[in-house]
Amino acid sequence: MLTEPSDQALARGLRRLYQLLCEQVPSESWWPGESRFEIVVGAVLTQNTTWVNVQRALAALRQGDLLNPQSIVDMPRGDLENAIRPCGYYRTKAEYLRSIGHWFLERDAEACLLPCDRLRQELLALRGIGPETADDILLYVYHHPVFIYDAYARRLIAAAGLGDYAHYEAARRALDPAVNAAQFTVAELAQFHGLIVDSGKIARRYGGWEQAYSCLLDGTFGQ
DNA sequence: GCCCAGGTGTTTC
DNA sequence: GAAACACATGGG
């Protein structure tokens, strides 16, 4: 009968995956963003949206010197919606950004001092911040060592035989012990997520993550 | 036209 | 609780 892989075995699998991606996926800088608040805004705007569209929205905000929490909170709602329109869900996301802008103005300084778990709880209590956005912010803004179990990561993990998880939190519960055992640094986890997202674009050319993963094993991924 | 994209919140069974 | 649905633009 099959037994569950141990955390140590999963940790080795994740390390191996990271190594393969480092070797075969062109590295880009992650997370793209010029300020900490800009990373927060990008994390919200990119929800179920391509990064190209997010860039248009960020550019529109930057153009008006509006990419800071005070301006996001103060500007007319219609103007905010207009600026972020290209990235979709613009009414919903405008509301999220205003709420998060208030939070950032009031709580950022203290948030820098909070332990990871406590800050995660606080972020999840905000409208518009679910598990993935919270982890994006924990990793790229507050530099906590968390793995991001986004849709691409879960598909790649499944293809690699490290477990099949339909939902973010299910993957997190099951794999966080292995992630901790693998002792990734913050920089490695930041790079890991970036490589996974970049490999998502490549994987689409293969018509699925299973084929993409076998190319990774062959050392021919992306060629 | 149709499907998908670095999800989240609400409603419904 | 977990499915199902709404939210919306832009590219392949």
Side-chain angles (χ1 to χ4, degrees):
Chain A
M1 102 171 228
L2 287 173
T3 56
E4 295 288 311
S6 70
D7 290 341
Q8 285 301 332
L10 290 171
R12 283 193 297 276
L14 289 169
R15 268 284 169 201
R16 179 149 180 261
L17 213 44
Y18 177 62
Q19 188 64 34
L20 290 170
L21 292 174
C22 282
E23 289 165 358
Q24 297 175 57
V25 178
S27 172
E28 293 177 25
S29 67
W30 278 83
W31 182 294
E34 291 168 17
S35 73
R36 297 171 57 252
F37 184 70
E38 180 173 337
I39 296 173
V40 173
V41 172
V44 172
L45 293 184
T46 196
Q47 290 168 1
N48 209 40
T49 303
T50 56
W51 187 253
V52 172
N53 287 347
V54 175
Q55 283 178 310
R56 296 185 224 274
L58 290 174
L61 289 170
R62 199 178 292 115
Q63 175 86 20
D65 195 21
L66 299 166
L67 203 38
N68 61 82
Q70 195 66 58
S71 297
I72 294 290
V73 166
D74 290 342
M75 70 192 291
R77 189 197 176 100
D79 291 356
L80 180 55
E81 290 181 356
N82 228 27
I84 68 172
R85 187 178 298 265
C87 67
Y89 308 124
Y90 58 90
R91 278 185 279 258
T92 312
K93 286 174 178 175
E95 188 186 323
Y96 292 169
L97 288 181
R98 287 165 69 107
S99 140
I100 293 164
H102 278 116
W103 176 87
F104 193 88
L105 287 170
E106 189 174 330
R107 294 289 298 160
D108 174 55
E110 186 171 343
C112 291
L113 307 174
L114 291 177
C116 184
D117 289 348
R118 173 77 182 73
L119 179 54
R120 190 169 199 272
Q121 290 303 315
E122 185 164 332
L123 289 169
L124 286 175
L126 298 172
R127 286 175 84 72
I129 297 188
E132 174 171 347
T133 308
D135 285 343
D136 286 339
I137 294 171
L138 286 170
L139 178 59
Y140 291 104
V141 178
Y142 296 99
H143 308 298
H144 288 291
V146 299
F147 185 92
I148 295 168
Y149 300 94
D150 68 351
Y152 286 171
R154 298 201 304 276
R155 288 176 214 159
L156 181 58
I157 284 167
L162 300 177
D164 200 344
Y165 304 99
H167 301 293
Y168 194 101
E169 289 290 5
R172 199 171 88 89
R173 279 192 300 274
L175 294 178
D176 258 4
V179 169
N180 292 331
Q183 297 191 317
F184 289 108
T185 65
V186 169
E188 285 175 328
L189 288 162
Q191 176 79 354
F192 205 163
H193 178 60
L195 291 170
I196 288 171
V197 173
D198 286 341
S199 65
K201 294 158 195 155
I202 301 172
R204 297 194 73 181
R205 300 208 304 261
Y206 290 100
W209 285 85
E210 285 72 21
Q211 292 89 332
Y213 180 66
S214 57
C215 290
L216 257 185
L217 291 180
D218 293 345
T220 62
F221 188 67
Q223 291 179 8

PDB file of all heavy atoms in Angstrom, chain A residues 30-31 127-128 130 132-133 152, chain B residues 3-10:
ATOM      1  N   TRP A  30      12.226  39.698  -9.123  1.00  0.00           N
ATOM      2  CA  TRP A  30      10.943  39.528  -8.448  1.00  0.00           C
ATOM      3  C   TRP A  30      11.014  40.117  -7.070  1.00  0.00           C
ATOM      4  O   TRP A  30      12.019  39.974  -6.397  1.00  0.00           O
ATOM      5  CB  TRP A  30      10.629  38.038  -8.347  1.00  0.00           C
ATOM      6  CG  TRP A  30      10.053  37.590  -9.641  1.00  0.00           C
ATOM      7  CD1 TRP A  30      10.722  37.226 -10.762  1.00  0.00           C
ATOM      8  CD2 TRP A  30       8.666  37.493  -9.949  1.00  0.00           C
ATOM      9  NE1 TRP A  30       9.852  36.904 -11.742  1.00  0.00           N
ATOM     10  CE2 TRP A  30       8.581  37.054 -11.272  1.00  0.00           C
ATOM     11  CE3 TRP A  30       7.493  37.734  -9.217  1.00  0.00           C
ATOM     12  CZ2 TRP A  30       7.355  36.859 -11.899  1.00  0.00           C
ATOM     13  CZ3 TRP A  30       6.281  37.522  -9.854  1.00  0.00           C
ATOM     14  CH2 TRP A  30       6.236  37.092 -11.180  1.00  0.00           C
ATOM     15  N   TRP A  31       9.916  40.724  -6.598  1.00  0.00           N
ATOM     16  CA  TRP A  31       8.722  41.141  -7.309  1.00  0.00           C
ATOM     17  C   TRP A  31       9.006  42.441  -8.021  1.00  0.00           C
ATOM     18  O   TRP A  31       9.637  43.317  -7.408  1.00  0.00           O
ATOM     19  CB  TRP A  31       7.632  41.356  -6.235  1.00  0.00           C
ATOM     20  CG  TRP A  31       6.299  41.751  -6.694  1.00  0.00           C
ATOM     21  CD1 TRP A  31       5.913  42.904  -7.306  1.00  0.00           C
ATOM     22  CD2 TRP A  31       5.126  40.983  -6.563  1.00  0.00           C
ATOM     23  NE1 TRP A  31       4.581  42.883  -7.564  1.00  0.00           N
ATOM     24  CE2 TRP A  31       4.071  41.723  -7.118  1.00  0.00           C
ATOM     25  CE3 TRP A  31       4.878  39.719  -6.046  1.00  0.00           C
ATOM     26  CZ2 TRP A  31       2.754  41.230  -7.143  1.00  0.00           C
ATOM     27  CZ3 TRP A  31       3.567  39.255  -6.074  1.00  0.00           C
ATOM     28  CH2 TRP A  31       2.526  40.007  -6.624  1.00  0.00           C
ATOM     29  N   ARG A 127     -10.610  43.132   3.524  1.00  0.00           N
ATOM     30  CA  ARG A 127     -11.339  42.786   2.300  1.00  0.00           C
ATOM     31  C   ARG A 127     -10.380  42.849   1.127  1.00  0.00           C
ATOM     32  O   ARG A 127      -9.665  43.835   0.963  1.00  0.00           O
ATOM     33  CB  ARG A 127     -12.478  43.769   2.058  1.00  0.00           C
ATOM     34  CG  ARG A 127     -13.645  43.580   2.959  1.00  0.00           C
ATOM     35  CD  ARG A 127     -14.662  44.682   2.722  1.00  0.00           C
ATOM     36  NE  ARG A 127     -15.564  44.385   1.605  1.00  0.00           N
ATOM     37  CZ  ARG A 127     -16.517  43.482   1.644  1.00  0.00           C
ATOM     38  NH1 ARG A 127     -16.677  42.750   2.710  1.00  0.00           N
ATOM     39  NH2 ARG A 127     -17.316  43.300   0.624  1.00  0.00           N
ATOM     40  N   GLY A 128     -10.392  41.804   0.317  1.00  0.00           N
ATOM     41  CA  GLY A 128      -9.567  41.785  -0.881  1.00  0.00           C
ATOM     42  C   GLY A 128      -8.239  41.086  -0.690  1.00  0.00           C
ATOM     43  O   GLY A 128      -7.490  40.939  -1.647  1.00  0.00           O
ATOM     44  N   GLY A 130      -6.900  37.573   0.270  1.00  0.00           N
ATOM     45  CA  GLY A 130      -7.095  36.160   0.565  1.00  0.00           C
ATOM     46  C   GLY A 130      -5.731  35.531   0.818  1.00  0.00           C
ATOM     47  O   GLY A 130      -4.725  36.245   0.940  1.00  0.00           O
ATOM     48  N   GLU A 132      -3.501  33.895  -0.994  1.00  0.00           N
ATOM     49  CA  GLU A 132      -2.367  34.121  -1.888  1.00  0.00           C
ATOM     50  C   GLU A 132      -1.851  35.555  -1.791  1.00  0.00           C
ATOM     51  O   GLU A 132      -0.631  35.780  -1.704  1.00  0.00           O
ATOM     52  CB  GLU A 132      -2.730  33.811  -3.340  1.00  0.00           C
ATOM     53  CG  GLU A 132      -1.573  34.189  -4.246  1.00  0.00           C
ATOM     54  CD  GLU A 132      -1.719  33.740  -5.680  1.00  0.00           C
ATOM     55  OE1 GLU A 132      -2.602  32.916  -5.970  1.00  0.00           O
ATOM     56  OE2 GLU A 132      -0.934  34.218  -6.503  1.00  0.00           O
ATOM     57  N   THR A 133      -2.754  36.516  -1.817  1.00  0.00           N
ATOM     58  CA  THR A 133      -2.329  37.916  -1.730  1.00  0.00           C
ATOM     59  C   THR A 133      -1.632  38.174  -0.397  1.00  0.00           C
ATOM     60  O   THR A 133      -0.629  38.889  -0.334  1.00  0.00           O
ATOM     61  CB  THR A 133      -3.543  38.844  -1.912  1.00  0.00           C
ATOM     62  OG1 THR A 133      -4.240  38.474  -3.101  1.00  0.00           O
ATOM     63  CG2 THR A 133      -3.107  40.298  -2.019  1.00  0.00           C
ATOM     64  N   TYR A 152      -0.363  28.056 -10.428  1.00  0.00           N
ATOM     65  CA  TYR A 152       0.768  27.468 -11.151  1.00  0.00           C
ATOM     66  C   TYR A 152       1.586  26.548 -10.241  1.00  0.00           C
ATOM     67  O   TYR A 152       1.983  25.465 -10.635  1.00  0.00           O
ATOM     68  CB  TYR A 152       1.696  28.567 -11.680  1.00  0.00           C
ATOM     69  CG  TYR A 152       1.183  29.341 -12.872  1.00  0.00           C
ATOM     70  CD1 TYR A 152       1.855  30.471 -13.313  1.00  0.00           C
ATOM     71  CD2 TYR A 152       0.051  28.942 -13.565  1.00  0.00           C
ATOM     72  CE1 TYR A 152       1.408  31.192 -14.417  1.00  0.00           C
ATOM     73  CE2 TYR A 152      -0.404  29.653 -14.658  1.00  0.00           C
ATOM     74  CZ  TYR A 152       0.276  30.782 -15.082  1.00  0.00           C
ATOM     75  OH  TYR A 152      -0.153  31.497 -16.162  1.00  0.00           O
TER      76      TYR A 152
ATOM     77  P    DC B   3     -15.365  27.978 -23.918  1.00  0.00           P
ATOM     78  OP1  DC B   3     -15.722  26.560 -23.790  1.00  0.00           O
ATOM     79  OP2  DC B   3     -16.195  29.027 -23.286  1.00  0.00           O
ATOM     80  O5'  DC B   3     -13.856  28.151 -23.425  1.00  0.00           O
ATOM     81  C5'  DC B   3     -12.786  27.555 -24.167  1.00  0.00           C
ATOM     82  C4'  DC B   3     -11.471  28.063 -23.626  1.00  0.00           C
ATOM     83  O4'  DC B   3     -11.246  29.399 -24.119  1.00  0.00           O
ATOM     84  C3'  DC B   3     -11.460  28.139 -22.104  1.00  0.00           C
ATOM     85  O3'  DC B   3     -10.309  27.499 -21.581  1.00  0.00           O
ATOM     86  C2'  DC B   3     -11.487  29.626 -21.800  1.00  0.00           C
ATOM     87  C1'  DC B   3     -10.848  30.234 -23.049  1.00  0.00           C
ATOM     88  N1   DC B   3     -11.307  31.614 -23.321  1.00  0.00           N
ATOM     89  C2   DC B   3     -10.355  32.609 -23.636  1.00  0.00           C
ATOM     90  O2   DC B   3      -9.164  32.303 -23.704  1.00  0.00           O
ATOM     91  N3   DC B   3     -10.779  33.872 -23.861  1.00  0.00           N
ATOM     92  C4   DC B   3     -12.080  34.159 -23.776  1.00  0.00           C
ATOM     93  N4   DC B   3     -12.450  35.429 -24.005  1.00  0.00           N
ATOM     94  C5   DC B   3     -13.054  33.169 -23.459  1.00  0.00           C
ATOM     95  C6   DC B   3     -12.627  31.909 -23.238  1.00  0.00           C
ATOM     96  P    DC B   4     -10.270  27.230 -19.974  1.00  0.00           P
ATOM     97  OP1  DC B   4      -9.803  25.860 -19.762  1.00  0.00           O
ATOM     98  OP2  DC B   4     -11.517  27.720 -19.317  1.00  0.00           O
ATOM     99  O5'  DC B   4      -9.110  28.228 -19.553  1.00  0.00           O
ATOM    100  C5'  DC B   4      -7.886  28.236 -20.263  1.00  0.00           C
ATOM    101  C4'  DC B   4      -7.181  29.551 -20.026  1.00  0.00           C
ATOM    102  O4'  DC B   4      -7.956  30.614 -20.600  1.00  0.00           O
ATOM    103  C3'  DC B   4      -7.008  29.885 -18.541  1.00  0.00           C
ATOM    104  O3'  DC B   4      -5.626  29.952 -18.238  1.00  0.00           O
ATOM    105  C2'  DC B   4      -7.678  31.249 -18.370  1.00  0.00           C
ATOM    106  C1'  DC B   4      -7.774  31.769 -19.800  1.00  0.00           C
ATOM    107  N1   DC B   4      -8.909  32.697 -20.016  1.00  0.00           N
ATOM    108  C2   DC B   4      -8.638  34.009 -20.450  1.00  0.00           C
ATOM    109  O2   DC B   4      -7.473  34.340 -20.653  1.00  0.00           O
ATOM    110  N3   DC B   4      -9.670  34.862 -20.635  1.00  0.00           N
ATOM    111  C4   DC B   4     -10.919  34.450 -20.400  1.00  0.00           C
ATOM    112  N4   DC B   4     -11.891  35.324 -20.596  1.00  0.00           N
ATOM    113  C5   DC B   4     -11.209  33.124 -19.963  1.00  0.00           C
ATOM    114  C6   DC B   4     -10.181  32.289 -19.780  1.00  0.00           C
ATOM    115  P    DA B   5      -5.146  29.881 -16.709  1.00  0.00           P
ATOM    116  OP1  DA B   5      -3.965  28.995 -16.692  1.00  0.00           O
ATOM    117  OP2  DA B   5      -6.267  29.624 -15.795  1.00  0.00           O
ATOM    118  O5'  DA B   5      -4.639  31.372 -16.481  1.00  0.00           O
ATOM    119  C5'  DA B   5      -3.637  31.885 -17.326  1.00  0.00           C
ATOM    120  C4'  DA B   5      -3.496  33.374 -17.140  1.00  0.00           C
ATOM    121  O4'  DA B   5      -4.697  34.030 -17.578  1.00  0.00           O
ATOM    122  C3'  DA B   5      -3.268  33.819 -15.684  1.00  0.00           C
ATOM    123  O3'  DA B   5      -2.340  34.889 -15.695  1.00  0.00           O
ATOM    124  C2'  DA B   5      -4.658  34.293 -15.257  1.00  0.00           C
ATOM    125  C1'  DA B   5      -5.164  34.902 -16.553  1.00  0.00           C
ATOM    126  N9   DA B   5      -6.633  34.944 -16.663  1.00  0.00           N
ATOM    127  C8   DA B   5      -7.518  33.962 -16.340  1.00  0.00           C
ATOM    128  N7   DA B   5      -8.763  34.285 -16.564  1.00  0.00           N
ATOM    129  C5   DA B   5      -8.683  35.568 -17.079  1.00  0.00           C
ATOM    130  C6   DA B   5      -9.671  36.471 -17.509  1.00  0.00           C
ATOM    131  N6   DA B   5     -10.968  36.201 -17.500  1.00  0.00           N
ATOM    132  N1   DA B   5      -9.253  37.680 -17.960  1.00  0.00           N
ATOM    133  C2   DA B   5      -7.942  37.944 -17.976  1.00  0.00           C
ATOM    134  N3   DA B   5      -6.931  37.171 -17.584  1.00  0.00           N
ATOM    135  C4   DA B   5      -7.378  35.979 -17.140  1.00  0.00           C
ATOM    136  P    DG B   6      -0.877  34.861 -15.149  1.00  0.00           P
ATOM    137  OP1  DG B   6      -0.371  36.194 -15.260  1.00  0.00           O
ATOM    138  OP2  DG B   6      -0.259  33.736 -15.909  1.00  0.00           O
ATOM    139  O5'  DG B   6      -0.859  34.551 -13.575  1.00  0.00           O
ATOM    140  C5'  DG B   6      -1.409  33.392 -12.966  1.00  0.00           C
ATOM    141  C4'  DG B   6      -1.218  33.485 -11.458  1.00  0.00           C
ATOM    142  O4'  DG B   6       0.136  33.876 -11.180  1.00  0.00           O
ATOM    143  C3'  DG B   6      -2.093  34.513 -10.770  1.00  0.00           C
ATOM    144  O3'  DG B   6      -2.544  33.989  -9.527  1.00  0.00           O
ATOM    145  C2'  DG B   6      -1.226  35.729 -10.528  1.00  0.00           C
ATOM    146  C1'  DG B   6       0.165  35.100 -10.456  1.00  0.00           C
ATOM    147  N9   DG B   6       1.137  35.982 -11.113  1.00  0.00           N
ATOM    148  C8   DG B   6       1.338  36.100 -12.449  1.00  0.00           C
ATOM    149  N7   DG B   6       2.263  36.973 -12.741  1.00  0.00           N
ATOM    150  C5   DG B   6       2.700  37.449 -11.521  1.00  0.00           C
ATOM    151  C6   DG B   6       3.676  38.418 -11.203  1.00  0.00           C
ATOM    152  O6   DG B   6       4.372  39.063 -11.977  1.00  0.00           O
ATOM    153  N1   DG B   6       3.794  38.608  -9.833  1.00  0.00           N
ATOM    154  C2   DG B   6       3.061  37.943  -8.882  1.00  0.00           C
ATOM    155  N2   DG B   6       3.302  38.267  -7.630  1.00  0.00           N
ATOM    156  N3   DG B   6       2.136  37.040  -9.173  1.00  0.00           N
ATOM    157  C4   DG B   6       2.004  36.842 -10.488  1.00  0.00           C
ATOM    158  P    DG B   7      -3.986  33.364  -9.691  1.00  0.00           P
ATOM    159  OP1  DG B   7      -4.035  32.011  -9.180  1.00  0.00           O
ATOM    160  OP2  DG B   7      -4.491  33.614 -11.025  1.00  0.00           O
ATOM    161  O5'  DG B   7      -4.828  34.304  -8.726  1.00  0.00           O
ATOM    162  C5'  DG B   7      -5.137  33.854  -7.435  1.00  0.00           C
ATOM    163  C4'  DG B   7      -5.767  34.983  -6.684  1.00  0.00           C
ATOM    164  O4'  DG B   7      -6.879  35.476  -7.446  1.00  0.00           O
ATOM    165  C3'  DG B   7      -6.302  34.591  -5.322  1.00  0.00           C
ATOM    166  O3'  DG B   7      -6.117  35.686  -4.453  1.00  0.00           O
ATOM    167  C2'  DG B   7      -7.765  34.271  -5.588  1.00  0.00           C
ATOM    168  C1'  DG B   7      -8.095  35.236  -6.733  1.00  0.00           C
ATOM    169  N9   DG B   7      -9.074  34.689  -7.690  1.00  0.00           N
ATOM    170  C8   DG B   7      -9.027  33.492  -8.345  1.00  0.00           C
ATOM    171  N7   DG B   7     -10.031  33.303  -9.150  1.00  0.00           N
ATOM    172  C5   DG B   7     -10.797  34.448  -9.022  1.00  0.00           C
ATOM    173  C6   DG B   7     -12.007  34.819  -9.639  1.00  0.00           C
ATOM    174  O6   DG B   7     -12.687  34.180 -10.465  1.00  0.00           O
ATOM    175  N1   DG B   7     -12.449  36.082  -9.215  1.00  0.00           N
ATOM    176  C2   DG B   7     -11.784  36.873  -8.322  1.00  0.00           C
ATOM    177  N2   DG B   7     -12.334  38.051  -8.043  1.00  0.00           N
ATOM    178  N3   DG B   7     -10.637  36.541  -7.738  1.00  0.00           N
ATOM    179  C4   DG B   7     -10.216  35.308  -8.126  1.00  0.00           C
ATOM    180  P    DT B   8      -6.524  35.479  -2.897  1.00  0.00           P
ATOM    181  OP1  DT B   8      -5.652  36.368  -2.112  1.00  0.00           O
ATOM    182  OP2  DT B   8      -6.616  34.054  -2.573  1.00  0.00           O
ATOM    183  O5'  DT B   8      -7.999  36.100  -2.869  1.00  0.00           O
ATOM    184  C5'  DT B   8      -8.177  37.458  -3.201  1.00  0.00           C
ATOM    185  C4'  DT B   8      -9.617  37.878  -2.960  1.00  0.00           C
ATOM    186  O4'  DT B   8     -10.450  37.365  -4.013  1.00  0.00           O
ATOM    187  C3'  DT B   8     -10.220  37.374  -1.646  1.00  0.00           C
ATOM    188  O3'  DT B   8     -10.784  38.489  -0.987  1.00  0.00           O
ATOM    189  C2'  DT B   8     -11.285  36.363  -2.084  1.00  0.00           C
ATOM    190  C1'  DT B   8     -11.638  36.832  -3.478  1.00  0.00           C
ATOM    191  N1   DT B   8     -12.099  35.779  -4.412  1.00  0.00           N
ATOM    192  C2   DT B   8     -13.240  35.995  -5.156  1.00  0.00           C
ATOM    193  O2   DT B   8     -13.909  37.009  -5.060  1.00  0.00           O
ATOM    194  N3   DT B   8     -13.577  34.979  -6.022  1.00  0.00           N
ATOM    195  C4   DT B   8     -12.893  33.799  -6.217  1.00  0.00           C
ATOM    196  O4   DT B   8     -13.285  32.972  -7.019  1.00  0.00           O
ATOM    197  C5   DT B   8     -11.698  33.629  -5.411  1.00  0.00           C
ATOM    198  C7   DT B   8     -10.901  32.385  -5.560  1.00  0.00           C
ATOM    199  C6   DT B   8     -11.368  34.614  -4.561  1.00  0.00           C
ATOM    200  P    DG B   9     -11.530  38.296   0.401  1.00  0.00           P
ATOM    201  OP1  DG B   9     -11.264  39.517   1.170  1.00  0.00           O
ATOM    202  OP2  DG B   9     -11.217  36.968   0.950  1.00  0.00           O
ATOM    203  O5'  DG B   9     -13.072  38.310  -0.014  1.00  0.00           O
ATOM    204  C5'  DG B   9     -13.551  39.396  -0.786  1.00  0.00           C
ATOM    205  C4'  DG B   9     -15.052  39.278  -0.993  1.00  0.00           C
ATOM    206  O4'  DG B   9     -15.336  38.279  -1.991  1.00  0.00           O
ATOM    207  C3'  DG B   9     -15.844  38.859   0.247  1.00  0.00           C
ATOM    208  O3'  DG B   9     -17.049  39.618   0.253  1.00  0.00           O
ATOM    209  C2'  DG B   9     -16.122  37.376   0.016  1.00  0.00           C
ATOM    210  C1'  DG B   9     -16.235  37.307  -1.499  1.00  0.00           C
ATOM    211  N9   DG B   9     -15.836  36.027  -2.085  1.00  0.00           N
ATOM    212  C8   DG B   9     -14.745  35.266  -1.758  1.00  0.00           C
ATOM    213  N7   DG B   9     -14.636  34.184  -2.478  1.00  0.00           N
ATOM    214  C5   DG B   9     -15.720  34.234  -3.335  1.00  0.00           C
ATOM    215  C6   DG B   9     -16.142  33.329  -4.347  1.00  0.00           C
ATOM    216  O6   DG B   9     -15.621  32.278  -4.694  1.00  0.00           O
ATOM    217  N1   DG B   9     -17.308  33.768  -4.976  1.00  0.00           N
ATOM    218  C2   DG B   9     -17.975  34.923  -4.680  1.00  0.00           C
ATOM    219  N2   DG B   9     -19.063  35.174  -5.377  1.00  0.00           N
ATOM    220  N3   DG B   9     -17.595  35.778  -3.728  1.00  0.00           N
ATOM    221  C4   DG B   9     -16.471  35.369  -3.104  1.00  0.00           C
ATOM    222  P    DT B  10     -18.185  39.356   1.339  1.00  0.00           P
ATOM    223  OP1  DT B  10     -18.667  40.715   1.694  1.00  0.00           O
ATOM    224  OP2  DT B  10     -17.667  38.440   2.378  1.00  0.00           O
ATOM    225  O5'  DT B  10     -19.339  38.593   0.536  1.00  0.00           O
ATOM    226  C5'  DT B  10     -19.728  39.091  -0.731  1.00  0.00           C
ATOM    227  C4'  DT B  10     -20.852  38.236  -1.296  1.00  0.00           C
ATOM    228  O4'  DT B  10     -20.308  37.024  -1.873  1.00  0.00           O
ATOM    229  C3'  DT B  10     -21.916  37.783  -0.288  1.00  0.00           C
ATOM    230  O3'  DT B  10     -23.178  37.990  -0.908  1.00  0.00           O
ATOM    231  C2'  DT B  10     -21.607  36.302  -0.066  1.00  0.00           C
ATOM    232  C1'  DT B  10     -21.031  35.905  -1.418  1.00  0.00           C
ATOM    233  N1   DT B  10     -20.078  34.765  -1.420  1.00  0.00           N
ATOM    234  C2   DT B  10     -20.219  33.765  -2.355  1.00  0.00           C
ATOM    235  O2   DT B  10     -21.115  33.766  -3.170  1.00  0.00           O
ATOM    236  N3   DT B  10     -19.279  32.773  -2.296  1.00  0.00           N
ATOM    237  C4   DT B  10     -18.225  32.684  -1.408  1.00  0.00           C
ATOM    238  O4   DT B  10     -17.447  31.748  -1.443  1.00  0.00           O
ATOM    239  C5   DT B  10     -18.133  33.762  -0.452  1.00  0.00           C
ATOM    240  C7   DT B  10     -17.028  33.758   0.549  1.00  0.00           C
ATOM    241  C6   DT B  10     -19.048  34.746  -0.507  1.00  0.00           C
TER     242       DT B  10
END
